[in-house]
Structures are given as structure tokens and as C-alpha cells.
Amino acid sequence: MIFRVFHRIAFLLFFAIIGLAGYAQDSLTTVKAEKGDGILSLLRKQGMNPYEAYDDFIAMNMDNLRDSVHLYAGRNYFIPPVKLDTVAIVDSIQKKSTEIKKIETKEFSIFGDKHAAVLTKSEKLKGAVYYLVSGHGGPDPGAMANYAGKSLAEDEYAYDITLRLAKELLSHGATVYIIIRDPNDGIRDERILEIDRDEVAYGDKVIPLNQVARLKQRVDIINELHRKNRGKFQRLIVTHVDSRSKGQNIDVFFYHHEKSKNGKKLAENVHKTFQKKYKKYQPNRTYTGTFEDRTNLYLVRKTHPAMTFIEIGNIRNKKDQKRILVPDNRQALAKWISEGVILDYETGEIGRIR
């Protein structure tokens, strides 16, 4: 009996150490993608943390994906095996205990019932403070477009991506202020996001109709919070969706203050992350997104924290619409931005933009 137990332990440790390389493909679980499935939803159906398994899934199924990130309905896909925690296994053996290690989570109602729980992934961003602003909101929907007979509004998609980014940053220990807030939307997994006008600014402030008053309100909130958090690593991230001619397909691009060394560095680090991701997941196309200074934008010019202003794409272009319509794409955008933010923090400096 003792021999069999330790034989099993050795077996588990062996496979935990060798990881994916130790599995023959015919021993892996395969699942058929259904119409409407994305990578994240497919992994959720298997009871997995989709964000942790995402990169492994891509690596295992690269030749069976459209544009390196999208599933084909009706095709079978390999599901990554659950990675075993060798430290947890050894600890359990030593204590002769079957107790399951608790996973630390925190609840944030702003993300909605389905997404309220935030899993603690690391403390990489512990001590960092982030102000997240999604463009427009309240009486101003921002850029508008039509898709399949339905209206699309910039503020709804910028907000959804911002919430997903906030959740990613929180999972790595950051302090996050969501400046534009919707009391009931939360993170949504639909393609067409219903348009409403009930967004408020941080502190439950009513968003003004006048554009200058609206922008000034955001600047005042951010600068006051920046003052209260003086001495900490602080950054601002503003998210918008551009509007251009229908035929103009654009990649995600970034702005920063022309005199901000830290703002330029933040924009550059997120830009570098996007370059890396496109090279990995879409090797057959060139990423053309840019980062540059643009101080004539009100939020860029008036806010105190080092910042980057992100344009996600052209809401009127069919290819760019897919970037924001597909929930998995919105999650990938948030994940990639967060990875650039982590890179920036690990190599960054505390300070104002001036």
C-alpha cells in the first residue's frame, strides 16, 4: 500500500515537472467548438480558469485557429491539462493532509454578478495606483456605428474593456480607481452592448452634458486622487474607440504627454506588448499601431499622473468592429494592456508628468 501511494506521488510530481511536453497529443482532452464559442468561453465550459490556460490553449491549437485567435465552429480543440502545483503536493504529503489549498478571491460588485470575484494571481503591482477612464459616458455615447441593424456606442465598449483591465490589475495587487462607472452594467459577454445613459463619475457625480465641463470633471477627480496618493507609483490609462471612414482599418495605438518621460514609457511598454502579441498570435500580419505624443487632448494636457491614452480601433470599420464585438477579443485587449502595465511598473519610476 505504501509503495503504491509513493508510486502515485512520484507519477504526479513527474508530470507536474515536465508539463505539456510530457503529454502525447492523443492523451489530451479534445472538445468540439460550438457556434458562438470563443477561447475563453470554451475553457470556462471545461471548468478551467480561462485566463490562466489561454496561452497554453493557443500554443496547442495554433494550426487550428482563424487569425491565430478565433475558433472554427465544429472543429475539435485540445484542452490544456491542469498544471499541478508540485510545492502544494509535497507540502500535502509531508503534512499527510488532504486539505485543499484555498484560493484567495475578493468581490467587486462593479464587475457584475458573473465577474465579481477577482482571483489573486500575484502581487506584482502591489503599491501601484491606477486611474482608469473609459471615454464619454452619461449623456455622451461617443462615436456611433451600426452593426447588423443595431447601434454601437463607443462608451459601452470602452467601459467594458476598462472593467476587464481593472480586474486584471486588481488580480496582481494594484489599487484601481474606475473613474467612469455604471451602476448595473458590469462586465458583459454579449456582442451587442445595450446603450444606456446612466454612467456616473467617481463619487457618484452626475456627468455634465457640456463637453468641457465633462472633461474638467474627470481631470479634477483624477488630480485630487493623485494628490491624496502623493508619493506612490501612479499612472492614468484612458480608453477610447476611434471613429474614421468605414474603409479605414487601424490597429490599437497610444498617445502620451510630450513632456512626460514616464507617460511615454508607459505607452511604449504597452505598445511593445502589443507588438509581441501580434507577432505570436497573428504572425502573418504586421502590427501598425503607434505611440506618440499628443498634448492637445484635454485629458493628456491637464491630468497630473503619467498617462497613456489608448485608441482601440475604428468603430465604423468591419474588421475593427470584430475587435470590440467579440467578448474574447475585449478580454484579450485588457489582458495585453495589463501585461504592458506590469512591464512598465517593474521598470518604472514614481513621479508626476512634469
Side-chain angles (χ1 to χ4, degrees), residues 239-304:
T239 306
H240 278 256
V241 184
D242 209 350
S243 178
R244 304 187 183 192
S245 67
K246 291 182 179 180
Q248 191 168 0
N249 174 219
I250 58 176
D251 280 330
V252 181
F253 61 95
F254 311 88
Y255 294 130
H256 60 85
H257 193 289
E258 64 179 352
K259 295 181 180 179
S260 171
K261 179 182 70 173
N262 289 333
K264 179 180 180 181
K265 183 172 172 294
L266 172 60
E268 184 175 11
N269 279 321
V270 183
H271 180 265
K272 282 180 180 178
T273 301
F274 270 71
Q275 285 180 317
K276 180 180 176 182
K277 295 296 184 180
Y278 269 76
K279 186 176 181 179
K280 180 177 180 180
Y281 297 130
Q282 299 191 46
N284 296 324
R285 68 176 293 254
T286 302
Y287 172 65
T288 60
T290 59
F291 75 96
E292 58 189 41
D293 62 85
R294 189 174 173 184
T295 312
N296 63 325
L297 293 174
Y298 194 97
L299 284 178
V300 177
R301 186 172 73 253
K302 297 287 188 177
T303 50
H304 293 164

Side-chain angles (χ1 to χ4, degrees), residues 44 114-115 160 164 187-191 193 327 330:
R44 282 193 195 98
K114 287 172 58 179
H115 296 273
D160 191 73
R164 292 171 187 269
I187 293 173
R188 292 177 279 179
D189 293 321
E190 295 79 30
R191 293 172 66 89
L193 300 184
R330 299 198 294 270

Side-chain angles (χ1 to χ4, degrees), residues 33-91:
E34 299 175 358
K35 186 176 181 180
D37 273 343
I39 294 173
L40 298 180
S41 62
L42 188 72
L43 292 171
R44 282 193 195 98
K45 289 178 182 179
Q46 310 311 308
M48 305 181 73
N49 182 327
Y51 312 123
E52 295 297 329
Y54 186 86
D55 284 345
D56 284 344
F57 181 93
I58 292 285
M60 295 170 66
N61 295 283
M62 179 64 75
D63 295 336
N64 202 20
L65 298 171
R66 177 170 54 84
D67 295 332
S68 302
V69 290
H70 298 111
L71 305 177
Y72 289 101
R75 293 191 183 181
N76 288 322
Y77 291 90
F78 293 114
I79 300 300
V82 176
K83 294 181 177 179
L84 301 176
D85 185 340
T86 57
V87 175
I89 292 171
V90 172
D91 185 58

Side-chain angles (χ1 to χ4, degrees), residues 127-170:
V129 179
Y130 293 94
Y131 309 105
L132 306 186
V133 180
S134 53
H136 307 280
D140 176 22
M144 301 287 292
N146 293 311
Y147 177 84
K150 300 289 183 77
S151 294
L152 307 179
E154 173 184 2
D155 68 325
E156 303 296 342
Y157 291 92
Y159 182 64
D160 191 73
I161 293 167
T162 295
L163 287 185
R164 292 171 187 269
L165 173 60
K167 188 171 181 178
E168 285 292 324
L169 299 181
L170 286 167

Side-chain angles (χ1 to χ4, degrees), residues 5-23:
V5 169
F6 279 93
H7 179 76
R8 176 61 176 164
I9 290 168
F11 177 83
L12 288 173
L13 288 172
F14 174 73
F15 277 97
I17 292 167
I18 63 173
L20 287 175
Y23 286 86

